[in-house]
Amino acid sequence: MRRRLAVPAMALAGLLVLSACSDKATDSGGGGGEGGGGGEAAELATDFGVTDDLITLGVLTDNSGPFKDLGLGVVQGHELWIEETNADGGVCERDIAIEVRDHGYKADTATIQYPELEPNILGFMQLLGSPINAALDQNLIDDEVTSVALSWSSFILDNPYVVIPGTTYDIEMINGLSYLLEEGLIADGDTIGHIYIQGEYGENGLLGSQYFAEQHGITLEAVQVTSTDTDMRNIVTGFAGQGVTAIALTTSPGQTGSAAAVNAQLGLNVPLVGNNPTFAPQILNADSAAALENMFLVASSVPYSSDVEQAQAVAEAYEAAGYAELPNAGVTYGYAIGEIWGQIMERACENGDMTRAGIQEALRQSENITTGELVADLDFSNVGTPATNQVYVATPNIDLPGGVEQISELFVSEVAETYVAGCQE
Amino acid sequence: MSDARQELARAAPVDEAAVSPESPQATVGDDPPPQTPLDTRPPRGRGDIVRWVAWVALAVVLLALPLYLTTPWLRVGEYVMIGAVAAIGLTLLTGQTGQLSLGTPFFMLVGGTSYVVLAGQPSEISDEEFLGFGLPPMLALVLAVVVAAIFGLAFAPVAGRVKGIYLAIATLSLVYLGLYLGQSLPYITGGTASGRNPEDLTMFGFSFTSNDPEISLLGVPLRDTERLWWLFLVLTAIAYVLAQGAIRGRPGRSWRAVRDNEFSAAVMGVRVAWVRAGVFAISSAYAGLAGVMTVLWFGLLKADETEFAGTWSIVVAIGFLAMIIIGGLGSVPGAVVGAMLVNGLPLVIQLLIPQSSVLRELTGGDNGFTPIVLTAFVYGLAIIAVVLFEPGGLAALGRRFTNALNSRTKPTKGN
């Protein structure tokens, strides 16, 4: 009897003794130090991820899952920007560093990595993947972590801490269809097919084509596919029967390849217009090049091979850095994201507030962020509104690095101007 | 005399494993699960006290962990507990009754969705456009488990008649059903886009899933992660104890009878179809609870975008099978250890090997050889090693270990 009581009693005593040396006991919500700005007269307020000589940003990316190519490219773009920026003296007299984690497109992994990174970073330079963004949505609000999402769905704009560096899928689609209209490839009253993938990405693209169809009296034949469907033959054959004059795509690159191939085989040969993730250089080879010739890609960032001066500079830096991978548009985009973060941080620095709240404030003051035309000029002052409506149009070209040739300047269509995207009031 | 009997009973599982080829189970490619001895009264004497002390010590350590571990580590532990609950349910079905199921993620989805819907605010009150009944969250949790069990029971016409690996194929369809329903009923499941957030799990004004009210213990602020740990610990303990009790009692005997030979089971008066349907429902209830835990852990209910990647996908179903195979089919502690390996190990490796350092040096740059890839290898090797060297799983290893301990200590003490 006595022994029985002794065991739990001793255990409890042990627990009390042990807990006296718990590390967590002293931890009371981050090191809210007011770092003096490197000998400057003005005091700089800081909280997370900013020390006297270093600013740390987080990156949650995919280096091993379905978006491996994109994820690697974008991170390499970040690295190029950081190297260049640090060589020029950094931002706010501090060097920039990134902490990279690969979540393999798995939300459970990302929710472990987030609390590990969060106390040590100012914000996220990249959060890749819609499941990951959805799982961390509330955390970003709770911790006030301003984050660049590598997803272009206007649905996620309801979170003020999520930054989409560019336009959204719906606006891309409206602009892309408008481009076809202006080029005389489609006309009012036509029938247009739209293949879209189930989920956030596809549904957001569909919003765009629906709006465009309404405005131009176009009959829209929308067909939903799942991400694992690979053969678009039945669908494109169906479109041929319905007499479509163009096919819109909000699909994976593999599905784009299939749709393009069938389009050519059937002799349908209608123009294809796709959102920015519909293409990857991997689907472009000697056999498919002809079928992909009348494909139009719409994105608010330039392709890797673009003639834009800044894009050329990034390409040069990429070659000089000697990465093993083939470059893709992600490299340029990753660099552009660096530029965006850099300008937000500069503004926060001028405001004397490099806390997370200060970054959010600086973001909302940023009405005109320029990236040397890598991405259209961005206006982040309106919560819930895409930062730009402008896009580039490009077309696959097998002879160019990155596999895509830019064929238009930045533009925005009249229809897109009237469209209300995202969570605008 | 009683010592000798226990010795026999303890030794039994190992002997069983040796004669396994006759068992119908062998076709599934694994050994029959450990047998629970007929005499299930806990042994008395010194071993009893040692066991007691061990359990109390374990409980104390587990209860105290939130005071020491940081948030990422606690979340890993919580994820392990989610896996443990579902794996315990599956090991009752697969290990004890010999029915193979891949439907666990579907019943998790049912449980998670039920909780969110039952506890969710009705759309008239909140401005969200989701279905909600506004029940007290604790009640919703219990009802969600019941709903999952009812869904499992509804599958009885199949679960009661179809055997072994054929049931696996039949239940595979459930994963696809879950995928389809999840995507096509966003009003209920939140859809694939942003999903919907579960209601805070509160009881008497105390929230387990937020920081309200703010409290601290021994100087450690108890936030949502710490609270969820204790909640999960209680739920897992309940799941564990109930499963052990069932295995040792009458239900467990009928399960094993059905597994080993359904004809002799029927001769002895076991209603085979009933037993199969019943254990399927119980297993579904376990999965339902794991589903509620998943939703609380993520703070989000979101339908999957594909059947191959996601929270309720085929990969998850196979993960649960891996847990119970690694742990030893039919063993409840084995299921828990299996959950540690399958759910815990990949995340632990993540936390131990920061990406930017070691691996990058070893493999020379950004070639995608990240901790995620490494964990896939480790996890695959663990399964291969278990199947090759200890088909009874870690549970058999554990039994062998305790047997060795007993045979070394018992004679000197007993005589």
Side-chain angles (χ1 to χ4, degrees):
Chain A
M1 181 66 198
R2 197 179 286 169
R3 193 182 276 153
R4 228 173 233 192
L5 270 177
V7 174
M10 271 168 59
L12 205 64
L15 166 64
L16 291 174
V17 172
L18 279 171
S19 62
C21 47
S22 165
D23 285 345
K24 283 176 85 178
T26 52
D27 174 71
S28 52
E34 304 268 310
E40 275 177 274
E43 282 273 302
L44 186 71
T46 61
D47 51 8
F48 297 91
V50 182
T51 66
D52 283 345
D53 46 16
L54 194 69
I55 301 171
T56 310
L57 294 168
V59 172
L60 277 181
T61 188
D62 181 2
N63 284 353
S64 55
F67 295 99
K68 174 184 164 171
D69 292 326
L70 177 69
L72 278 173
V74 177
V75 173
Q76 286 161 352
H78 295 336
E79 285 169 351
L80 293 177
W81 177 79
I82 287 169
E83 203 171 301
E84 205 173 286
T85 307
N86 288 351
D88 290 349
V91 173
C92 206
E93 297 180 6
R94 289 161 171 80
D95 275 354
I96 311 287
I98 46 172
E99 276 284 332
V100 184
R101 295 288 183 278
D102 165 33
H103 54 55
Y105 207 62
K106 287 190 212 129
D108 50 67
T109 309
T111 59
I112 299 290
Q113 290 163 332
Y114 175 83
E116 188 220 345
L117 285 179
E118 185 268 321
N120 307 319
I121 58 164
L122 179 61
F124 278 101
M125 198 174 241
Q126 180 192 149
L127 273 184
L128 187 150
S130 66
I132 284 85
N133 272 291
L136 296 178
D137 195 53
Q138 191 59 44
N139 298 73
L140 298 181
I141 296 173
D142 291 346
D143 301 324
E144 298 185 277
V145 188
T146 300
S147 306
V148 170
L150 227 51
S151 163
W152 296 266
S153 157
S154 61
F155 297 133
I156 61 175
L157 284 174
D158 59 344
N159 184 337
Y161 293 95
V162 170
V163 175
I164 297 182
T167 193
T168 49
Y169 298 127
D170 39 6
I171 296 175
E172 279 178 3
M173 190 46 82
I174 294 173
N175 281 330
L177 290 169
S178 304
Y179 181 82
L180 295 188
L181 193 72
E182 272 165 38
E183 295 288 309
L185 294 165
I186 55 173
D188 285 11
D190 276 3
T191 301
I192 288 178
H194 190 166
I195 307 177
Y196 69 101
I197 221 166
Q198 203 161 35
E200 187 173 63
Y201 164 46
E203 281 161 23
N204 201 222
L206 182 66
L207 281 184
S209 63
Q210 281 171 339
Y211 183 78
F212 181 85
E214 255 171 49
Q215 300 299 311
H216 286 276
I218 279 169
T219 314
L220 186 70
E221 299 291 342
V223 179
Q224 195 186 53
V225 294
T226 65
S227 57
T228 48
D229 290 334
T230 51
D231 190 359
M232 302 292 119
R233 175 167 296 277
N234 290 343
I235 298 167
V236 178
T237 310
F239 283 161
Q242 287 154 343
V244 301
T245 52
I247 298 175
L249 299 170
T250 312
T251 52
S252 70
Q255 293 164 338
T256 305
S258 171
V262 178
N263 183 33
Q265 283 164 12
L266 293 177
L268 185 61
N269 286 324
V270 295
L272 307 172
V273 56
N275 285 101
N276 81 74
T278 52
F279 181 82
Q282 284 78 1
I283 63 167
L284 185 64
N285 54 44
D287 298 326
S288 66
L292 285 166
E293 251 172 19
N294 51 356
M295 159 115 201
F296 299 91
L297 274 168
V298 193
S300 45
S301 58
V302 294
Y304 179 78
S305 66
S306 168
D307 294 331
V308 171
E309 202 175 312
Q310 184 66 58
Q312 296 285 336
V314 173
E316 257 169 50
Y318 188 84
E319 309 228 321
Y323 288 110
E325 290 80 16
L326 286 174
N328 57 35
V331 175
T332 326
Y333 205 61
Y335 185 93
I337 293 171
E339 284 282 298
I340 295 165
W341 255 107
Q343 286 169 46
I344 295 169
M345 289 190 292
E346 287 287 1
R347 185 176 287 271
C349 184
E350 281 165 26
N351 293 346
D353 188 357
M354 284 287 272
T355 63
R356 284 185 182 157
I359 290 291
Q360 178 68 201
E361 196 190 326
L363 175 72
R364 294 307 158 209
Q365 293 168 355
S366 301
E367 293 179 352
N368 191 20
I369 288 194
T370 58
T371 55
E373 296 207 325
L374 293 180
V375 180
D377 291 351
L378 302 171
D379 172 6
F380 292 110
S381 58
N382 297 316
V383 179
T385 308
T388 178
N389 287 341
Q390 293 186 305
V391 297
Y392 290 101
V393 175
T395 190
N397 182 335
I398 195 163
D399 299 324
L400 292 174
V404 183
E405 181 186 7
Q406 184 185 330
I407 55 171
S408 87
E409 294 300 306
L410 273 176
F411 75 95
V412 58
S413 65
E414 279 171 31
V415 192
E417 296 277 20
T418 61
Y419 175 74
V420 180
C423 311
Q424 275 169 277
E425 294 301 320
Chain B
M1 136 76 196
S2 82
D3 264 0
R5 203 158 115 204
Q6 274 158 32
E7 283 297 327
L8 261 177
R10 287 223 177 91
V14 181
D15 296 342
E16 278 290 322
V19 296
S20 68
E22 281 114 62
S23 146
Q25 198 58 18
T27 52
V28 189
D30 37 46
D31 275 0
Q35 306 296 299
T36 316
L38 282 179
D39 177 17
T40 53
R41 274 169 294 160
R44 302 269 162 241
R46 184 157 293 185
D48 186 24
I49 292 174
V50 172
R51 186 169 294 194
W52 234 91
V53 173
W55 276 114
V56 171
L58 182 67
V60 168
V61 168
L62 287 177
L63 284 170
L65 277 178
L67 300 178
Y68 300 95
L69 293 182
T70 54
T71 306
W73 289 99
L74 284 178
R75 285 187 63 83
V76 172
E78 288 159 12
Y79 196 52
V80 167
M81 289 192 256
I82 294 172
V85 169
I88 290 172
L90 187 61
T91 211
L92 298 182
L93 180 68
T94 304
Q96 292 284 328
T97 323
Q99 294 283 75
L100 203 53
S101 168
L102 291 169
T104 311
F106 171 75
F107 294 105
M108 287 173 71
L109 178 61
V110 169
T113 309
S114 304
Y115 170 77
V116 175
V117 169
L118 292 172
Q121 292 302 321
S123 47
E124 302 91 67
I125 297 176
S126 67
D127 49 351
E128 308 275 354
E129 66 283 20
F130 297 127
L131 180 66
F133 293 105
L135 296 181
M138 267 299 171
L139 179 65
L141 187 149
V142 175
L143 287 179
V145 175
V146 174
V147 170
I150 292 171
F151 268 73
L153 214 52
F155 203 61
V158 180
R161 285 176 209 174
V162 181
K163 279 198 280 193
I165 197 160
Y166 301 102
L167 184 65
I169 305 300
T171 49
L172 191 57
S173 64
L174 290 177
V175 177
Y176 285 87
L177 187 68
L179 180 78
Y180 173 75
L181 291 177
Q183 291 180 338
S184 50
L185 301 173
Y187 177 58
I188 293 172
T189 63
T192 55
S194 308
R196 63 185 287 195
N197 300 104
E199 198 66 17
D200 262 354
L201 187 69
T202 53
M203 202 163 65
F204 310 121
F206 180 82
S207 167
F208 287 97
T209 49
S210 73
N211 304 339
D212 172 53
E214 283 188 26
I215 49 169
S216 64
L217 179 65
L218 304 168
V220 180
L222 301 182
R223 288 189 273 255
D224 46 356
T225 320
E226 285 84 2
R227 299 176 191 193
L228 208 57
W229 171 280
W230 284 312
L231 175 76
F232 279 17
L233 204 59
V234 170
L235 293 176
T236 311
I238 293 172
Y240 187 98
V241 169
L242 286 180
Q244 284 288 41
I247 286 176
R248 292 195 176 134
R250 197 184 156 95
R253 286 196 292 278
S254 61
W255 293 339
R256 290 187 293 278
V258 168
R259 175 196 69 199
D260 290 341
N261 190 323
E262 60 177 289
F263 298 108
S264 51
V267 168
M268 285 192 294
V270 175
R271 298 163 84 174
V272 174
W274 274 64
V275 167
R276 284 203 179 121
V279 72
F280 193 84
I282 291 171
S283 168
S284 306
Y286 271 86
L289 178 60
V292 179
M293 291 163 76
T294 306
V295 167
L296 292 173
W297 186 76
F298 272 118
L300 179 78
L301 170 70
K302 180 176 172 299
D304 280 348
E305 291 181 44
T306 82
E307 63 273 47
F308 296 114
T311 320
W312 330 101
S313 62
I314 292 173
V315 177
V316 175
I318 293 170
F320 289 126
L321 274 187
M323 285 178 204
I324 61 172
I325 290 170
I326 292 174
L329 281 173
S331 158
V332 175
V336 176
V337 177
M340 284 181 197
L341 282 177
V342 172
N343 268 9
L345 190 63
L347 300 178
V348 167
I349 293 178
Q350 284 286 322
L351 291 177
L352 288 181
I353 310 178
Q355 174 152 2
S356 32
S357 61
V358 189
L359 279 179
R360 218 173 240 215
E361 294 298 317
L362 278 178
T363 59
D366 290 314
N367 51 10
F369 194 82
T370 60
I372 289 273
V373 181
L374 185 71
T375 57
F377 284 114
V378 172
Y379 161 43
L381 278 177
I383 295 181
I384 294 171
V386 163
V387 173
L388 272 185
F389 302 114
E390 185 53 277
L394 295 175
L397 214 63
R399 268 194 304 277
R400 199 179 284 173
F401 181 68
T402 45
N403 280 344
L405 269 188
N406 283 338
S407 58
R408 197 173 299 164
T409 53
K410 276 277 160 60
T412 53
K413 263 186 276 160
N415 304 335

